[in-house]
Amino acid sequence: MRTPQGGIFALGTASHAYLEFDAVPGQGTDLVQAIAALREPRTTMGGVNLVVGFRPRLWAEAVPEDAPADVNDFDRELVGTDGFVMPATQHDAVLWLSGSAYDVVFEVARNAIAELSALATVSEETSSWPYMHDRDLTGFIDGSENPSLIDAPEFALIPENEPGGAGTILLLQKWEHDATMWESLSVAEQEQVIGRLKSDSTELENKPDDSHVARTDQDRFGKIFRRNMPYGTVTYHGTMFVGFSADQRRLSAMLESMVGLAGGPRDALTLYTRPLTGAYYFVPASDSLRRFIPDEDSAE
């Protein structure tokens, strides 16, 4: 039985950091090996979870026999019919660290960057934290459609008997909120944009076709497992979209629907928040990473 990276499903952590790396030219495969061999800290009180992922085409070059078929990089921007753009900012690798407090996340992140400094540079860095238990910075409950932890692996993980088994495809996007515009709306107007009640996340029976819920309907596109987190400061903030799926098409189809390329209107939420980044990463199973660890480490 193959084992997924445990941090994917480790809920309840209070501090997060996302580090995206670009490999030094000619060092892509070496970077895969170096990141895969990073020692994952044990999840204890004060510990840190470490989830690592790679640009899909880079992983396929490094480990072709364990690369899922038809998983592509986010290598071109997505442009809606009205000109709205989701940027493509694909990098070579990502480290997602989460823990009980930011000081330990900070130290592990610094050490990881130092270990990789000869092979890659940090191209994007974001720190995140939960807000009001389970709400994003629009004030709405986030992840209402998330499957339970019992069911999540079924939707997030590639079947074990397929290449890349027990791995997952990650869509990582950084969304900046226009808080002034959003907060100028009444609660009832915000609910029409989202398609849910703000108080308890009940889905509206007569939600608009351009509501966020309607444009990302998981009954239509398929279930994904989300680990979204707020980021930023009081005056500049937004949402880190962190979505995992066993099938990349579920993710890309949702994005196409949001920008209005799926035969419907553009997602109304994109009038108040815009993506600054966009990348796909393949997150291999722990078993796949262990192939890069020297025998003496594996024996510990």
Side-chain angles (χ1 to χ4, degrees):
M1 182 174 180
R2 306 194 79 193
T3 305
Q5 294 186 47
I8 297 168
F9 304 107
L11 303 181
T13 45
S15 296
H16 299 252
Y18 309 90
L19 305 174
E20 295 179 83
F21 293 84
D22 283 328
V24 171
Q27 299 294 322
T29 300
D30 289 339
L31 178 62
V32 171
Q33 181 169 346
I35 289 179
L38 287 174
R39 303 301 302 275
E40 180 173 350
R42 297 183 182 276
T43 305
T44 59
M45 185 160 303
V48 173
N49 299 300
L50 173 61
V51 174
V52 304
F54 305 95
R55 180 168 57 83
R57 291 305 179 196
L58 176 58
W59 178 260
E61 292 169 8
V63 193
E65 70 278 9
D66 194 39
D70 301 321
V71 178
N72 299 304
D73 303 344
F74 202 138
D75 55 6
R76 63 178 67 182
E77 62 185 20
L78 201 59
V79 182
T81 53
D82 64 353
F84 178 77
V85 176
M86 285 190 181
T89 60
Q90 183 70 60
H91 301 291
D92 289 318
V94 64
L95 303 186
W96 167 33
L97 304 100
S98 61
S100 61
Y102 188 65
D103 57 348
V104 292
V105 170
F106 180 86
E107 281 304 307
V108 173
R110 287 187 67 197
N111 292 336
I113 291 170
E115 287 192 42
L116 302 173
S117 61
L119 300 172
T121 56
V122 177
S123 300
E124 185 73 35
E125 175 187 355
T126 305
S127 300
S128 296
W129 29 266
Y131 175 71
M132 300 293 183
H133 180 58
D134 57 3
R135 295 180 185 265
D136 64 25
L137 294 178
T138 67
F140 282 74
I141 295 172
D142 199 358
S144 298
E145 289 293 316
N146 244 6
S148 69
L149 280 180
I150 294 175
D151 296 329
E154 173 187 350
F155 301 106
L157 300 181
I158 296 168
E160 288 191 28
N161 61 347
E162 296 182 10
T168 182
I169 296 98
L170 164 64
L171 170 60
L172 187 66
Q173 289 181 303
K174 184 175 184 176
W175 288 78
E176 177 188 11
H177 296 186
D178 188 329
T180 301
M181 284 187 63
W182 179 251
E183 291 166 4
S184 71
L185 302 178
S186 68
V187 169
E189 289 171 326
Q190 292 179 356
E191 290 173 341
Q192 291 294 302
V193 171
I194 299 295
R196 293 184 180 277
L197 295 180
K198 194 170 188 177
S199 59
D200 63 4
S201 204
T202 299
E203 188 170 329
L204 302 181
E205 289 188 10
N206 297 312
K207 58 186 176 294
D209 191 38
D210 67 348
S211 69
H212 183 58
V213 170
R215 302 319 304 157
T216 61
D217 183 3
Q218 293 191 39
D219 291 332
R220 175 185 173 192
F221 298 111
K223 290 282 188 182
I224 63 173
F225 183 61
R226 296 192 303 173
R227 294 291 310 276
N228 296 359
M229 277 287 153
Y231 77 88
T233 66
V234 174
T235 56
Y236 170 81
H237 52 254
T239 298
M240 288 297 292
F241 179 88
V242 184
F244 295 96
S245 177
D247 181 358
Q248 187 179 37
R249 184 55 191 158
R250 297 175 201 164
L251 299 165
S252 61
M254 286 182 189
L255 297 187
E256 290 168 4
S257 176
M258 289 181 70
V259 302
L261 293 178
R266 173 180 155 195
D267 190 329
L269 185 58
T270 63
L271 297 173
Y272 308 95
T273 180
R274 67 187 182 96
L276 304 179
T277 69
Y280 288 113
Y281 296 101
F282 175 60
V283 179
S286 293
D287 312 71
S288 300
L289 299 175
R290 290 192 190 107
R291 74 181 65 205
F292 295 98
I293 301 175
D295 291 340
E296 60 268 26
D297 288 348
S298 300
E300 291 181 9

